[in-house]
Amino acid sequence: MDHAADTYRTDLMTITRYVLNEQSRFPESRGDLTILLSHIVLGCKFVASAVNKAGLAKLTGLAGETNVQGEEQKKLDILSNEVFVNALVSSGRTCVLVSEEDELATFVDPKLRGKYCVCFDPLDGSSNIDCGVSIGTIFGIYMIKNFDTVTLEEVLLPGKDMIAAGYCMYGSSCTLVLSTGSGVNGFTLDPSLGEFIMTHPEIKIPAKGKIYSVNEGNAKNWDTPTAKYVEKCKYPTDGSSPKSLRYIGSMVADVHRTLLYGGIFLYPADKKSPNGKLRVMYEVFPMSFLMEQAGGQSFTGKGRSLDLIPTNIHERSPIFLGSYDDVEEIKALYAEEAKAGAA
């Protein structure tokens, strides 16, 4: 990339322009998704600004602490949740919101309702805030047919029904990765313009990668296929080089690296968490949607992640996602185990 030439580029593809271009491909479109996405982008900018100031503003403090003026301080993840709930409700395009921070789904006032359900984790990896590690927002969008009379059951949809998904990573730069169902594109926030500019057009994950990403601290509790796969990454028997281990512990950062460089991200079920640890509706589904759109795949240990049908909004699932060939290998190990178990 010629950064010197990019400094003076005048024909910038902003995220707003990109979404409007996508909208123009569908003449029947009324622009509802465009409006909704612009509100999500605004929420991301607000949170990016808050994350940058968090140490100075003591926003990382415990919720419920009071400042000198006697005002209750809000922890960054609670603040982020409020920002997104307000942004999504005020768009007038949502009917139900499912947030990692809220035990119950939020049903929007009927006067402000629109046809979309948004599932989101306002600040994923928030335990890493204090040490400056990349954190992020994850979101997935569904279209709801009967939005005037929507019930919770109508929101428990498989991931393959999503129409858009993305994440915004707050790190050394602020990067928003988005798919509306026709490929994956990445945008970076230019602070001087206050705009997300396309910097990673048409992201495609390599078919095979050299990196595996897993919390090896849980190794003693893993099932056989996971243990075998990780062993194979470290001690390959086919004469190839071992894979490198990279694990940040912030899903957005780990998935972002996997998407750009290839490889596999694993959060398997284990004896401690038999159903896995990551939440289906606002972590597993959006990331799996993006991975498939970029040419990779996502697997639960039993089947395709996007085929799962959740039974509650905070359901958890194991996940193996990343480069197509790498996920094929772990699928083969699970198939082998199932065959042995059936014998």
Side-chain angles (χ1 to χ4, degrees):
M1 197 177 194
D2 186 350
H3 290 287
D6 280 352
T7 309
Y8 300 105
R9 268 170 58 206
T10 51
D11 185 25
L12 299 172
M13 176 62 79
T14 65
I15 194 163
T16 311
R17 181 176 159 193
Y18 168 77
V19 172
L20 286 168
N21 285 356
E22 285 293 292
Q23 183 191 320
S24 66
R25 289 175 43 226
F26 303 94
E28 72 287 359
S29 168
R30 291 174 45 227
D32 288 338
L33 183 61
T34 304
I35 290 166
L36 176 58
L37 287 169
S38 73
H39 279 72
I40 290 173
V41 167
L42 179 64
C44 291
K45 288 177 185 174
F46 190 107
V47 174
S49 169
V51 167
N52 284 339
K53 295 190 291 231
L56 294 169
K58 291 275 192 292
L59 284 166
T60 51
L62 294 171
E65 285 185 358
T66 52
N67 63 14
V68 187
Q69 284 80 27
E71 297 165 335
E72 196 172 90
Q73 287 178 348
K74 287 178 180 147
K75 205 174 170 189
L76 201 48
D77 44 7
I78 294 170
L79 177 78
S80 304
N81 188 49
E82 285 184 15
V83 165
F84 277 102
V85 169
N86 290 335
L88 293 166
V89 170
S90 66
S91 73
R93 300 298 182 276
T94 55
C95 53
V96 185
L97 308 177
V98 173
S99 168
E100 190 263 350
E101 289 289 327
D102 296 326
E103 197 179 330
L104 303 173
T106 302
F107 287 84
V108 178
D109 184 320
K111 295 194 290 291
L112 293 169
R113 272 187 195 174
K115 60 186 174 187
Y116 297 110
C117 163
V118 183
C119 306
F120 61 100
D121 185 343
L123 209 59
D124 181 71
S126 51
S127 60
N128 286 318
I129 296 166
D130 287 354
C131 61
V133 169
S134 295
I135 51 183
T137 299
I138 310 171
F139 61 89
I141 303 172
Y142 290 99
M143 193 187 292
I144 306 293
K145 287 190 182 79
N146 309 312
F147 60 88
D148 288 324
T149 56
V150 67
T151 61
L152 192 59
E153 284 63 42
E154 290 170 85
V155 172
L156 297 170
L157 297 163
K160 62 186 177 189
D161 288 359
M162 267 183 181
I163 59 161
Y167 61 80
C168 187
M169 185 175 72
Y170 315 109
S172 54
S173 59
C174 177
T175 308
L176 196 151
V177 174
L178 173 70
S179 175
T180 53
S182 52
V184 182
N185 291 280
F187 304 82
T188 303
L189 183 64
D190 182 335
S192 62
L193 296 174
E195 284 283 1
F196 279 99
I197 309 296
M198 187 184 283
T199 48
H200 298 77
E202 292 169 27
I203 297 170
K204 289 279 174 237
I205 185 169
K208 196 167 177 61
K210 296 176 182 170
I211 295 171
Y212 73 104
S213 184
V214 65
N215 182 355
E216 290 223 40
N218 294 329
K220 71 171 187 152
N221 296 315
W222 287 344
D223 60 14
T224 309
T226 302
K228 273 187 184 171
Y229 180 78
V230 172
E231 188 72 7
K232 199 173 161 189
C233 288
K234 294 194 275 196
Y235 307 103
T237 51
D238 58 1
S240 61
S241 300
K243 287 188 190 298
S244 296
L245 169 66
R246 298 282 182 272
Y247 186 71
I248 298 164
S250 177
M251 190 194 190
V252 173
D254 280 313
V255 171
H256 185 65
R257 184 201 54 248
T258 305
L259 195 59
L260 296 185
Y261 299 164
I264 188 166
F265 170 81
L266 311 87
Y267 211 119
D270 58 30
K271 289 174 195 149
K272 238 178 11 178
S273 310
N275 298 319
K277 194 86 182 283
L278 298 177
R279 273 64 57 104
V280 172
M281 293 189 73
Y282 40 80
E283 290 175 329
V284 172
F285 280 169
M287 293 310 202
S288 301
F289 183 90
L290 289 165
M291 208 49 83
E292 286 197 6
Q293 285 290 321
Q297 56 175 331
S298 179
F299 176 65
T300 64
K302 291 179 180 166
R304 179 187 176 212
S305 299
L306 292 180
D307 287 340
L308 268 178
I309 300 173
T311 53
N312 73 72
I313 61 171
H314 298 297
E315 190 169 312
R316 297 171 190 263
S317 166
I319 189 169
F320 306 86
L321 88 174
S323 294
Y324 196 92
D325 294 353
D326 290 326
V327 178
E328 277 299 303
E329 282 183 39
I330 193 112
K331 281 165 83 171
L333 290 167
Y334 271 96
E336 208 177 276
E337 173 94 342
K339 207 169 163 188

Coordinates of all heavy atoms in Angstrom, one line a residue, residues 78-141:
I78 N -20.9 -0.4 30.4 CA -22.3 0.0 30.6 C -22.6 1.3 29.7 O -23.6 1.4 29.1 CB -22.5 0.3 32.1 CG1 -22.4 -1.0 32.9 CG2 -23.9 1.0 32.3 CD1 -22.4 -0.9 34.4
L79 N -21.6 2.2 29.7 CA -21.7 3.4 28.9 C -21.9 3.0 27.4 O -22.8 3.5 26.7 CB -20.5 4.3 29.0 CG -20.4 5.5 28.1 CD1 -21.3 6.6 28.7 CD2 -19.0 6.0 28.0
S80 N -21.1 2.0 26.9 CA -21.2 1.6 25.5 C -22.5 1.0 25.2 O -23.1 1.2 24.2 CB -20.1 0.5 25.2 OG -18.8 1.0 25.6
N81 N -23.1 0.2 26.2 CA -24.4 -0.4 26.0 C -25.4 0.7 25.8 O -26.3 0.6 24.9 CB -24.7 -1.3 27.2 CG -26.0 -2.1 26.9 OD1 -26.1 -2.7 25.9 ND2 -26.9 -2.1 27.9
E82 N -25.4 1.7 26.7 CA -26.4 2.8 26.6 C -26.3 3.5 25.3 O -27.3 3.9 24.7 CB -26.2 3.8 27.8 CG -26.7 3.2 29.1 CD -26.6 4.2 30.2 OE1 -26.4 5.4 30.0 OE2 -26.7 3.8 31.4
V83 N -25.0 3.8 24.9 CA -24.8 4.5 23.6 C -25.5 3.7 22.4 O -26.2 4.3 21.6 CB -23.3 4.6 23.3 CG1 -23.0 5.0 21.9 CG2 -22.7 5.7 24.2
F84 N -25.3 2.4 22.4 CA -25.8 1.6 21.3 C -27.3 1.5 21.4 O -28.0 1.6 20.4 CB -25.1 0.3 21.2 CG -23.8 0.4 20.4 CD1 -22.6 0.4 21.1 CD2 -23.8 0.5 19.0 CE1 -21.4 0.5 20.4 CE2 -22.6 0.6 18.3 CZ -21.4 0.6 19.0
V85 N -27.8 1.3 22.6 CA -29.3 1.2 22.7 C -29.9 2.4 22.3 O -30.9 2.4 21.5 CB -29.7 0.8 24.2 CG1 -31.2 1.0 24.4 CG2 -29.3 -0.6 24.5
N86 N -29.4 3.6 22.7 CA -30.0 4.9 22.3 C -29.9 5.1 20.8 O -30.8 5.6 20.2 CB -29.3 6.0 23.1 CG -29.7 6.0 24.5 OD1 -30.8 5.5 24.9 ND2 -28.8 6.6 25.4
A87 N -28.7 4.8 20.2 CA -28.5 5.0 18.8 C -29.4 4.1 18.0 O -30.0 4.6 17.0 CB -27.0 4.7 18.4
L88 N -29.6 2.9 18.4 CA -30.5 1.9 17.6 C -31.9 2.3 17.8 O -32.7 2.2 16.8 CB -30.2 0.5 18.1 CG -28.8 0.0 17.8 CD1 -28.5 -1.3 18.6 CD2 -28.6 -0.3 16.3
V89 N -32.4 2.6 19.0 CA -33.8 3.0 19.2 C -34.1 4.3 18.4 O -35.1 4.3 17.7 CB -34.1 3.2 20.7 CG1 -35.5 3.8 20.8 CG2 -34.0 1.8 21.4
S90 N -33.2 5.3 18.5 CA -33.5 6.5 17.8 C -33.4 6.5 16.3 O -33.9 7.3 15.6 CB -32.5 7.6 18.3 OG -31.2 7.3 17.9
S91 N -32.9 5.4 15.7 CA -32.9 5.2 14.3 C -34.3 5.0 13.7 O -34.6 5.3 12.6 CB -32.0 4.0 13.9 OG -32.7 2.8 14.2
G92 N -35.2 4.5 14.6 CA -36.6 4.3 14.2 C -36.7 3.1 13.2 O -37.7 2.9 12.6
R93 N -35.6 2.3 13.2 CA -35.6 1.1 12.3 C -35.5 -0.2 13.0 O -35.3 -1.2 12.4 CB -34.4 1.3 11.3 CG -34.4 2.5 10.4 CD -35.7 2.6 9.5 NE -35.7 3.7 8.7 CZ -36.1 4.9 9.0 NH1 -36.6 5.2 10.2 NH2 -36.2 5.9 8.1
T94 N -35.6 -0.2 14.3 CA -35.4 -1.5 15.1 C -36.7 -1.8 15.9 O -37.4 -0.9 16.2 CB -34.2 -1.4 16.1 OG1 -34.4 -0.2 16.9 CG2 -32.9 -1.2 15.3
C95 N -36.9 -3.1 16.1 CA -38.0 -3.5 16.9 C -37.6 -4.2 18.2 O -38.2 -4.1 19.2 CB -39.0 -4.3 16.1 SG -38.3 -5.8 15.3
V96 N -36.5 -5.0 18.1 CA -36.0 -5.7 19.2 C -34.4 -5.6 19.3 O -33.8 -5.6 18.2 CB -36.3 -7.2 19.1 CG1 -35.8 -7.9 20.4 CG2 -37.8 -7.5 18.9
L97 N -33.9 -5.4 20.5 CA -32.5 -5.3 20.6 C -32.0 -6.4 21.6 O -32.7 -6.5 22.7 CB -32.0 -3.9 21.2 CG -32.5 -2.7 20.5 CD1 -32.1 -1.4 21.2 CD2 -32.1 -2.7 19.0
V98 N -31.0 -7.1 21.3 CA -30.5 -8.2 22.2 C -29.0 -7.8 22.5 O -28.2 -7.7 21.6 CB -30.5 -9.6 21.5 CG1 -29.8 -10.6 22.4 CG2 -31.9 -10.0 21.2
S99 N -28.8 -7.4 23.7 CA -27.5 -7.0 24.1 C -26.8 -7.9 25.2 O -27.5 -8.5 26.0 CB -27.5 -5.6 24.7 OG -26.3 -5.3 25.4
E100 N -25.5 -8.1 25.1 CA -24.8 -8.9 26.0 C -25.0 -8.4 27.5 O -24.9 -9.1 28.4 CB -23.3 -9.0 25.6 CG -22.5 -10.0 26.4 CD -21.7 -9.4 27.5 OE1 -21.7 -8.1 27.7 OE2 -21.2 -10.1 28.3
E101 N -25.1 -7.0 27.6 CA -25.2 -6.4 28.9 C -26.6 -6.5 29.5 O -26.7 -6.2 30.7 CB -24.9 -4.9 28.7 CG -23.4 -4.6 28.4 CD -22.5 -4.9 29.6 OE1 -22.9 -4.7 30.7 OE2 -21.4 -5.3 29.4
D102 N -27.6 -6.8 28.8 CA -29.0 -6.8 29.3 C -29.5 -8.2 29.4 O -29.5 -8.9 28.4 CB -29.9 -5.9 28.4 CG -29.5 -4.5 28.4 OD1 -29.0 -4.0 29.5 OD2 -29.6 -3.8 27.4
E103 N -30.0 -8.6 30.5 CA -30.5 -9.9 30.7 C -31.7 -10.2 29.8 O -31.8 -11.3 29.3 CB -30.9 -10.1 32.2 CG -31.1 -11.5 32.6 CD -31.5 -11.7 34.1 OE1 -31.1 -10.8 34.9 OE2 -32.2 -12.6 34.4
L104 N -32.6 -9.2 29.6 CA -33.8 -9.4 28.8 C -33.6 -8.6 27.5 O -32.9 -7.6 27.4 CB -35.0 -8.9 29.5 CG -35.3 -9.6 30.9 CD1 -36.4 -8.9 31.6 CD2 -35.6 -11.0 30.7
A105 N -34.3 -9.1 26.4 CA -34.3 -8.3 25.2 C -35.1 -7.0 25.4 O -36.0 -7.0 26.2 CB -35.0 -9.2 24.1
T106 N -34.7 -6.0 24.6 CA -35.3 -4.7 24.7 C -36.3 -4.6 23.5 O -35.9 -4.7 22.4 CB -34.3 -3.5 24.5 OG1 -33.3 -3.7 25.6 CG2 -35.0 -2.2 24.6
F107 N -37.6 -4.5 23.9 CA -38.6 -4.3 22.8 C -38.8 -2.8 22.7 O -39.2 -2.1 23.6 CB -39.9 -5.0 23.2 CG -39.8 -6.5 23.1 CD1 -39.3 -7.3 24.1 CD2 -40.2 -7.1 21.9 CE1 -39.1 -8.6 24.0 CE2 -40.1 -8.5 21.7 CZ -39.5 -9.3 22.8
V108 N -38.6 -2.3 21.4 CA -38.7 -0.9 21.2 C -40.2 -0.4 21.2 O -41.1 -1.2 20.8 CB -38.1 -0.6 19.8 CG1 -38.2 0.9 19.4 CG2 -36.6 -1.0 19.8
D109 N -40.4 0.8 21.7 CA -41.7 1.4 21.8 C -42.4 1.3 20.4 O -41.8 1.7 19.4 CB -41.5 2.9 22.1 CG -42.9 3.6 22.3 OD1 -43.8 3.4 21.5 OD2 -43.0 4.5 23.2
P110 N -43.6 0.8 20.3 CA -44.3 0.6 19.0 C -44.3 1.8 18.1 O -44.2 1.7 16.9 CB -45.7 0.2 19.4 CG -45.6 -0.4 20.7 CD -44.5 0.3 21.4
K111 N -44.2 3.0 18.7 CA -44.2 4.3 17.8 C -42.9 4.4 17.1 O -42.8 5.1 16.1 CB -44.5 5.5 18.7 CG -45.9 5.5 19.3 CD -46.2 6.9 19.9 CE -45.4 7.3 21.1 NZ -45.8 6.5 22.3
L112 N -41.8 3.8 17.6 CA -40.5 4.0 17.1 C -40.0 2.8 16.3 O -38.9 2.7 15.9 CB -39.5 4.3 18.2 CG -39.7 5.7 18.9 CD1 -38.8 5.7 20.1 CD2 -39.3 6.8 17.9
R113 N -40.9 1.8 16.2 CA -40.4 0.5 15.6 C -40.1 0.5 14.1 O -40.8 1.2 13.4 CB -41.5 -0.6 15.9 CG -41.3 -1.2 17.2 CD -42.2 -2.4 17.5 NE -42.1 -2.7 18.9 CZ -42.8 -3.6 19.5 NH1 -43.7 -4.3 18.8 NH2 -42.7 -3.8 20.8
G114 N -39.2 -0.3 13.8 CA -38.8 -0.6 12.4 C -38.7 -2.1 12.3 O -39.0 -2.9 13.2
K115 N -38.2 -2.6 11.1 CA -38.3 -4.0 10.8 C -37.0 -4.8 11.2 O -36.9 -6.0 10.8 CB -38.6 -4.2 9.3 CG -37.5 -3.6 8.4 CD -38.0 -3.7 6.9 CE -37.0 -3.0 6.0 NZ -37.5 -2.9 4.6
Y116 N -36.1 -4.2 11.9 CA -34.8 -4.9 12.2 C -34.7 -5.3 13.6 O -35.1 -4.5 14.5 CB -33.6 -4.1 11.7 CG -33.6 -3.9 10.2 CD1 -33.8 -2.6 9.7 CD2 -33.4 -4.9 9.3 CE1 -33.8 -2.4 8.3 CE2 -33.4 -4.7 8.0 CZ -33.6 -3.4 7.5 OH -33.6 -3.2 6.1
C117 N -34.0 -6.4 13.8 CA -33.6 -6.9 15.2 C -32.1 -6.8 15.2 O -31.4 -7.3 14.2 CB -34.1 -8.3 15.5 SG -33.2 -9.1 16.8
V118 N -31.5 -6.1 16.1 CA -30.0 -6.1 16.2 C -29.5 -6.8 17.5 O -30.0 -6.5 18.6 CB -29.5 -4.6 16.2 CG1 -28.0 -4.6 16.2 CG2 -30.0 -3.8 15.0
C119 N -28.6 -7.7 17.3 CA -28.0 -8.5 18.4 C -26.6 -7.9 18.5 O -25.9 -7.9 17.5 CB -27.9 -10.0 18.1 SG -29.5 -10.6 17.7
F120 N -26.1 -7.5 19.7 CA -24.8 -6.9 19.8 C -24.2 -7.1 21.1 O -24.8 -7.3 22.2 CB -24.9 -5.4 19.5 CG -25.8 -4.6 20.4 CD1 -25.2 -3.9 21.4 CD2 -27.1 -4.6 20.3 CE1 -26.0 -3.1 22.3 CE2 -27.9 -3.9 21.1 CZ -27.4 -3.1 22.2
D121 N -22.8 -7.1 21.1 CA -22.0 -7.1 22.3 C -21.4 -5.7 22.3 O -20.5 -5.5 21.4 CB -21.0 -8.2 22.3 CG -20.2 -8.3 23.6 OD1 -20.2 -7.3 24.3 OD2 -19.5 -9.3 23.8
P122 N -21.8 -4.8 23.1 CA -21.4 -3.4 23.0 C -19.9 -3.2 23.2 O -19.2 -2.4 22.6 CB -22.2 -2.6 24.1 CG -22.7 -3.7 25.0 CD -22.8 -5.0 24.2
L123 N -19.3 -4.1 24.1 CA -17.8 -3.9 24.3 C -17.3 -5.3 24.7 O -17.2 -5.7 25.8 CB -17.5 -2.9 25.5 CG -16.2 -2.2 25.3 CD1 -16.0 -1.5 24.0 CD2 -15.9 -1.3 26.5
D124 N -16.9 -6.0 23.6 CA -16.3 -7.4 23.8 C -14.9 -7.3 24.3 O -14.1 -6.5 23.8 CB -16.4 -8.1 22.5 CG -15.9 -9.5 22.6 OD1 -16.5 -10.4 23.2 OD2 -14.8 -9.8 22.1
G125 N -14.5 -8.1 25.3 CA -13.1 -8.1 25.8 C -12.9 -7.0 26.8 O -11.8 -6.5 27.0
S126 N -14.0 -6.5 27.4 CA -13.9 -5.3 28.3 C -13.0 -5.6 29.5 O -12.5 -4.6 30.1 CB -15.3 -4.8 28.7 OG -16.0 -5.9 29.3
S127 N -12.7 -6.8 29.8 CA -11.8 -7.1 30.9 C -10.4 -6.7 30.6 O -9.5 -6.6 31.4 CB -11.8 -8.6 31.3 OG -11.4 -9.4 30.2
N128 N -10.1 -6.4 29.3 CA -8.8 -6.0 28.8 C -8.6 -4.5 28.8 O -7.6 -4.0 28.4 CB -8.6 -6.6 27.4 CG -8.3 -8.1 27.4 OD1 -7.6 -8.6 28.2 ND2 -8.9 -8.8 26.4
I129 N -9.7 -3.8 29.1 CA -9.6 -2.3 29.0 C -8.4 -1.7 29.8 O -7.6 -0.9 29.2 CB -10.9 -1.6 29.5 CG1 -12.1 -2.0 28.7 CG2 -10.7 -0.1 29.5 CD1 -13.4 -1.7 29.4
D130 N -8.2 -2.1 31.0 CA -7.2 -1.5 31.9 C -5.8 -1.7 31.3 O -4.9 -1.0 31.7 CB -7.3 -2.1 33.3 CG -8.5 -1.6 34.0 OD1 -9.2 -0.7 33.5 OD2 -8.8 -2.0 35.1
C131 N -5.6 -2.8 30.5 CA -4.2 -3.0 30.1 C -4.0 -2.6 28.6 O -3.0 -2.9 28.0 CB -3.8 -4.4 30.3 SG -4.8 -5.6 29.4
G132 N -5.0 -1.9 28.0 CA -4.8 -1.3 26.7 C -4.8 -2.3 25.5 O -4.4 -1.9 24.4
V133 N -5.3 -3.5 25.8 CA -5.5 -4.5 24.7 C -6.7 -4.1 23.8 O -7.7 -3.6 24.3 CB -5.6 -5.9 25.3 CG1 -6.0 -6.9 24.2 CG2 -4.2 -6.3 25.9
S134 N -6.6 -4.4 22.5 CA -7.7 -4.1 21.6 C -9.0 -4.8 22.1 O -9.1 -5.9 22.5 CB -7.4 -4.7 20.2 OG -6.3 -4.0 19.7
I135 N -10.1 -4.0 22.1 CA -11.4 -4.5 22.4 C -12.4 -4.1 21.3 O -11.9 -3.5 20.3 CB -11.9 -3.8 23.8 CG1 -11.7 -2.3 23.7 CG2 -11.2 -4.4 24.9 CD1 -12.1 -1.6 25.0
G136 N -13.6 -4.5 21.3 CA -14.5 -4.1 20.2 C -16.0 -4.3 20.4 O -16.4 -4.8 21.5
T137 N -16.7 -3.9 19.4 CA -18.2 -4.1 19.4 C -18.5 -5.1 18.3 O -17.9 -5.0 17.2 CB -18.9 -2.7 19.1 OG1 -18.5 -1.8 20.1 CG2 -20.4 -2.8 19.0
I138 N -19.4 -6.0 18.6 CA -19.8 -7.0 17.6 C -21.3 -6.8 17.4 O -22.1 -6.6 18.3 CB -19.6 -8.4 18.1 CG1 -18.1 -8.6 18.5 CG2 -19.9 -9.4 16.9 CD1 -17.8 -9.9 19.2
F139 N -21.8 -6.9 16.1 CA -23.2 -6.8 15.9 C -23.7 -7.7 14.7 O -22.9 -8.0 13.8 CB -23.6 -5.3 15.6 CG -23.0 -4.7 14.4 CD1 -23.6 -4.8 13.1 CD2 -21.8 -4.1 14.5 CE1 -23.0 -4.2 12.0 CE2 -21.1 -3.5 13.4 CZ -21.7 -3.6 12.1
G140 N -25.0 -8.1 14.8 CA -25.6 -8.8 13.7 C -27.0 -8.3 13.6 O -27.7 -7.9 14.5
I141 N -27.5 -8.3 12.3 CA -28.8 -7.7 12.0 C -29.7 -8.7 11.3 O -29.3 -9.4 10.4 CB -28.6 -6.5 11.1 CG1 -27.7 -5.4 11.8 CG2 -30.0 -5.8 10.8 CD1 -27.3 -4.3 10.9

